[in-house]
Amino acid sequence: MAKKQDWSREEQAVQAVQMAFDLSNDIQRAFRVSAAMQDMTTADMVRKVLHLPYRKGRARPRLTVTLKDEDFELLARKYELDPQDRAAIRQRVAEELQGFARQYLTASDQ
C-alpha cells in the first residue's frame, strides 16, 4: 500500500495544468538548444525563464523515440537481426546513435 506522502504527490500531479504555447520554430529551437546546452529539459528551461522552481539536472538523461512494429521490422533487416529480439535491436540503435553523436561533436569542433 502506498504511503500517505506518495498519494499527496499524485494528488498534486492531478491538480497540475499542462500548458502548450504555439510559438515560432525559431523560438522553440532557442529553448531546445538552450536547454540542451544547460543539460536541462525544455520544460525546465521554460520554468527557469519564468523564474519558477525547476530541476537543476535531468532526472534521467535519455533520448526517447516511439517505434512501431514496422519500425522494428525495418531495423531488424538493417542490422540483420530477428525482429522479435528487441533488446539486440535496442543495443544496435544505441550504438548507432552514439556513433552519430561522436561524429557530430567531432565535426562541430572543426
Side-chain angles (χ1 to χ4, degrees):
M1 180 168 224
K3 299 176 188 171
K4 176 71 174 158
Q5 184 179 5
D6 292 340
W7 281 108
S8 71
R9 283 191 200 145
E10 287 185 23
E11 289 170 359
Q12 289 174 358
V14 168
Q15 294 173 2
V17 175
Q18 185 174 29
M19 298 181 75
F21 301 93
D22 293 324
L23 302 170
S24 73
N25 286 338
D26 289 341
I27 291 172
Q28 291 182 47
R29 186 178 310 108
F31 273 91
R32 287 192 307 271
V33 169
S34 180
M37 297 299 289
Q38 295 179 54
D39 201 25
M40 301 170 66
T41 65
T42 306
D44 283 334
M45 188 69 228
V46 170
R47 294 184 66 81
K48 180 178 180 180
V49 168
L50 297 174
H51 302 285
L52 296 171
Y54 62 94
R55 196 176 290 137
K56 302 292 187 221
R58 291 186 182 173
R60 291 188 289 178
R62 61 182 178 174
L63 292 172
T64 60
V65 63
T66 302
L67 299 175
K68 300 179 232 158
D69 288 339
E70 306 89 69
D71 298 326
F72 280 103
E73 294 283 338
L74 291 168
L75 290 168
R77 260 186 263 132
K78 175 179 181 175
Y79 301 130
E80 299 179 354
L81 296 168
D82 178 352
Q84 300 306 311
D85 191 353
R86 293 189 172 190
I89 293 170
R90 181 178 186 200
Q91 178 63 38
R92 293 294 300 272
V93 167
E95 291 168 3
E96 186 170 346
L97 296 176
Q98 290 168 6
F100 166 81
R102 281 192 292 274
Q103 184 178 7
Y104 174 81
L105 292 171
T106 303
S108 66
D109 287 342
Q110 297 174 0

